[in-house]
Structures are given as structure tokens and as C-alpha cells.
Amino acid sequence: AQSVTQPDIHITVSEGASLELRCNYSYGATPYLFWYVQSPGQGLQLLLKYFSGDTLVQGIKGFEAEFKRSQSSFNLRKPSVHWSDAAEYFCAVGAPNQAGTALIFGKGTTLSVSS
Amino acid sequence: NAGVTQTPKFQVLKTGQSMTLQCAQDMNHNSMYWYRQDPGMGLRLIYYSASEGTTDKGEVPNGYNVSRLNKREFSLRLESAAPSQTSVYFCASSEAPGGVTDTQYFGPGTRLTVL
């Protein structure tokens, strides 16, 4: 069965520093991969998604992610973090033709931004 | 264009009480989903509806029932609430029928406490 692992529960980054959030997935075929962000007290918002093609995907708010099949990873990056990026980030995998499933989410990484 | 709306925003129940969480979307989406979010667990799928008139169990369906009332509305019912059902509940929708490849749009959530 497909699964998603986000190894880091909590990360603190200084404002202006670069950010990388890790995501590893388990799925036999090419997965459909997503990153969502959840600000405190809010619902989830899609940052970016990968289905096929170019393995470097650009998203909203200056985020990008790179799909690496050999490492089963889909890490999220941002070159310069802003205080408003403090939130919880979820990686998710969608498995087509898998009855009874929708998106499988990782447990999330909480990002804190220090000044 | 309100997107996905959920009512109520907050609810406190006593063990054994019943209630229905309401969800509506105005994007003419085919698929709708109910998730629960617990600390350190990410989001887990309770039920989903791939199209009007169909519903299917997700990862954690026990203790819940759903109704896809029409294309817009998808309700979640707790018949006899238990403290283990204390959680934040999110409704989501996506365009394609049964599509796990689609972007899912999330509501703001319902925070439920069962005493």
C-alpha cells in the first residue's frame, strides 16, 4: 500500500534562510504527488503538484519541489523564507485506480520562522 | 464564490449524542471527501463520494455515516459520539469523478470535542 513519510516533525528556520522539507513516498508506479500548506486555524491549500514531465515543479508563494524517482522523494524547497511561511506542511500521494483511497497524507512538518 | 463551506465551525458534544456535520461546495465538483485531523497523525480519510449517488469507506469509517445529498452537499453523521472522535474534521472536493489525481479544495474545518 502507498504511504508517505515526512521525517521532520518540526523545523525552525531563520527569516531569509533557505528551506527544504523532506517527503518520501512508497508506491509501485509513478505517483501523483502534492504539497499542501495549513496556516493555523485554516483549511489546507495546495502549494504544488506533480503528475508527470519536468521533475522540478513550481508552485505558489515561491515554493518548488523536485521529484526524484531513484530516492522516492518529493522535497519542498524555498530559497528565502518569510515569517508568513510559518505553518504546517503536508505531503500527499494520490494513487490512481486504487479503490477506497483518496489522497494519503504524511503526518506533517511544522515550520517555525525565527527573526 | 465561497468554495467549500462547513458548518458548524465548533461543536461540543457529550458521549452518546449525535450530530451531523454539513459540507457544501459551489464549484460543481464531482468528488467530495471527509477527513479527520488529529495531532501527529496528519489527515485520514473517513469517507468519500466519487460522484453524486455514490459513497465509499476510507481509512477510518467506523462510527460515522455519510450522505451525498446532491452534487453540492456531503454530510457526515456521528450517531453516538465517543471521546475518540474528538478531532478537527475537514471536507474537501475535487473536480473529476473519483479522481485522486485532482487538486482537492478544503473547507475551513469543524473542531469537534466529545466529552
Side-chain angles (χ1 to χ4, degrees):
Chain A
Q2 61 272 23
S3 65
V4 177
T5 301
Q6 294 180 245
D8 304 305
I9 296 173
H10 190 190
I11 284 182
T12 299
V13 174
S14 298
E15 190 169 16
S18 63
L19 169 70
E20 182 169 28
L21 301 182
R22 295 183 292 165
C23 172
N24 294 98
Y25 67 89
S26 172
Y27 183 59
T30 300
Y32 291 67
L33 296 162
F34 305 78
W35 274 100
Y36 282 84
V37 61
Q38 184 181 28
S39 297
Q42 303 295 315
L44 279 71
Q45 180 185 21
L46 180 72
L47 282 176
L48 48 78
K49 60 187 177 184
Y50 172 78
F51 288 172
S52 64
D54 192 345
T55 57
L56 186 62
V57 181
Q58 302 297 320
I60 62 171
K61 305 185 180 188
F63 285 92
E64 66 178 25
E66 186 171 13
F67 170 61
K68 293 186 177 179
R69 183 189 304 274
S70 61
Q71 299 177 19
S72 296
S73 69
F74 188 57
N75 294 349
L76 182 71
R77 301 195 294 248
K78 186 170 186 179
S80 178
V81 168
H82 187 261
W83 64 266
S84 61
D85 293 323
E88 190 160 18
Y89 292 80
F90 292 96
C91 182
V93 61
N97 303 317
Q98 291 278 329
T101 64
L103 291 181
I104 305 297
F105 284 85
K107 295 183 178 180
T109 298
T110 299
L111 172 66
S112 297
V113 180
S114 61
S115 56
Chain B
N1 189 337
V4 179
T5 57
Q6 293 182 236
T7 55
K9 285 190 168 60
F10 301 93
Q11 184 70 49
V12 178
L13 293 177
K14 295 180 180 177
T15 297
Q17 288 184 318
S18 63
M19 80 160 295
T20 299
L21 282 64
Q22 306 287 353
C23 174
Q25 52 90 9
D26 62 2
M27 296 174 282
N28 201 35
H29 284 173
N30 287 285
S31 299
M32 298 185 73
Y33 312 84
W34 277 106
Y35 293 90
R36 60 177 290 173
Q37 183 181 31
D38 302 293
M41 298 295 292
L43 277 78
R44 293 179 293 169
L45 181 68
I46 305 171
Y47 271 93
Y48 74 105
S49 171
S51 60
E52 187 178 355
T54 69
T55 60
D56 285 285
K57 295 178 180 179
E59 182 185 353
V60 288
N62 291 345
Y64 305 96
N65 286 301
V66 290
S67 295
R68 184 75 183 267
L69 305 169
N70 48 54
K71 193 171 186 180
R72 288 187 65 248
E73 298 172 289
F74 189 38
S75 63
L76 178 72
R77 183 160 178 83
L78 288 71
E79 291 291 351
S80 179
S84 61
Q85 294 178 304
T86 294
S87 187
V88 181
Y89 291 85
F90 288 100
C91 178
S93 71
S94 64
E95 183 173 4
V100 297
T101 62
D102 266 3
T103 299
Q104 291 188 19
Y105 295 84
F106 285 80
T110 294
R111 188 174 296 274
L112 174 67
T113 302
V114 183
L115 302 175

